[in-house]
Amino acid sequence: MSSAAPVSPRLLVADHVAGGLRVFDPSDGRETAFLPGRHPAEHAGFLALPGGRTAFVDDRAGELVVLDPYGPDRSGPLVTATVPVAVPAEHLAADPAGLRIAVTTGLGRSEEPWSDLLTAVDLGADGGPRAVRVRTRTGEPGVVLMPPPDGAAPGDTWVVLRQREPGALAVYPWAALETAPPSCPPVAPRYGLPLPDDGHGDAYDPVSGLLFAATGQGVHRARRAGDALVPEAPLPWGGEGRGYYLRLDPVRRTLWSTVRVGPGDPGRWPEWTNCAWWYGPDSGRSGRIPLGPGLVFRFAVAARYLAFARIHPDGDELIVLRPDTGRITARVPLPPMSGAPRPGSAPWDGVQRRAVAASPGHDLIAVTRGGQGEVHLIDAAAGALVRTLTVPGPLDEGGLLALTAPGDGAEGDPVGR
């Protein structure tokens, strides 16, 4: 592979229900690698690491798996490291160097929180990757890693959990985790801040050092100041509703969420209206952009666009938004899914969904057709379908996607998506 030649992105397509992960070259639809028997944790998602690497948690094997999607192109391995971790994985996040990773545990297939295990993974440890498990608190914890301030010891990283019921930001110094003895001992947080009980959605901006946590009251902010976690004024949602998902756009360093407005009964999901909410950490400005009714949740960040998959009984579509103008540039119709959510029932229980992915270095969007084993590749600039990939197996529940390219800067968002 010539270093001067443009390098096509790599598309990772995982069937987290049936098992298996495939790597494709989206420029021609060619499959470049296959990893059988892997069941990535859908809620925790894929985590972008420096150097074009990607990580996920295999919920069945109880392992953190680190991939080099271009390894097979160089006659090298796809899997570069595996480390035992506690499951079911709720969230995972990394430090800016991509060497320290934290994995929280949540509900899995249970209806109530039951696991309090947190795993701290050091990929750069002497002698190879090393993992330590400790007990914290049951719940559905989000997680970010806050690196030490300039001049502090490199090992002074903080793992910050976002807890619910009671809500809190709980700080665990990395040193207290990596030196914990065997047998999963309980570890108390060193510091903490109160939060509302309904936290859902986390992000971290490595440039400003701001941590963000979404609640019904707004987006709560905190920064590290010496040995203290200092709160800043929450950001309002700018109207009715709230966001349940936060992510940092590393291209424009903008925080984004999908704000949902409508009845609390999940069976009335077709009546929900949705907006893309944004906030600029440098400018301090924020706003909302209407997306339409139905179910809109996770979204993807491309070089010049954002992509939102919208599900609705009247027809599904991929919404392409141009952040620099705040305008929707395309609404691409998507073929219907057998087993799609129906009015009167919750849109996330036993139904098909759509996963969406993009690379901050390209304008290609990938979106799945859950239950049909299809992945649609869409040129965001043209607002048109490029090709459809068909994979063995149905991709039940929408599967899990990641689109990566060398030097695309995706690790600027250090939380799994």
Side-chain angles (χ1 to χ4, degrees), residues 80-83 122-131:
T80 60
T82 58
V83 189
D122 186 354
L123 293 177
D126 292 340
R130 179 173 180 266

Side-chain angles (χ1 to χ4, degrees), residues 87-99:
V87 292
E90 183 82 2
H91 288 285
L92 74 158
D95 68 348
L99 295 175

Side-chain angles (χ1 to χ4, degrees), residues 328-383:
I328 293 172
T329 60
R331 292 181 178 268
V332 183
L334 298 173
M337 299 179 291
S338 299
R342 296 179 180 275
S345 300
W348 42 70
D349 295 331
V351 295
Q352 299 297 348
R353 299 192 291 268
R354 298 187 186 274
V356 61
S359 163
H362 290 263
D363 283 335
L364 187 68
I365 310 295
V367 59
T368 62
R369 186 185 183 195
Q372 272 71 41
E374 293 181 352
V375 183
H376 308 295
L377 301 178
I378 293 167
D379 181 340

Side-chain angles (χ1 to χ4, degrees), residues 384-400:
L385 178 70
V386 175
R387 64 171 43 88
T388 295
L389 302 178
T390 301
V391 301
L395 290 181
D396 281 332
E397 301 180 3
L400 189 63

Side-chain angles (χ1 to χ4, degrees), residues 176-194:
L177 300 178
E178 68 176 355
T179 58
S183 303
C184 304
V187 176
R190 182 75 58 84
Y191 315 102
L193 287 176

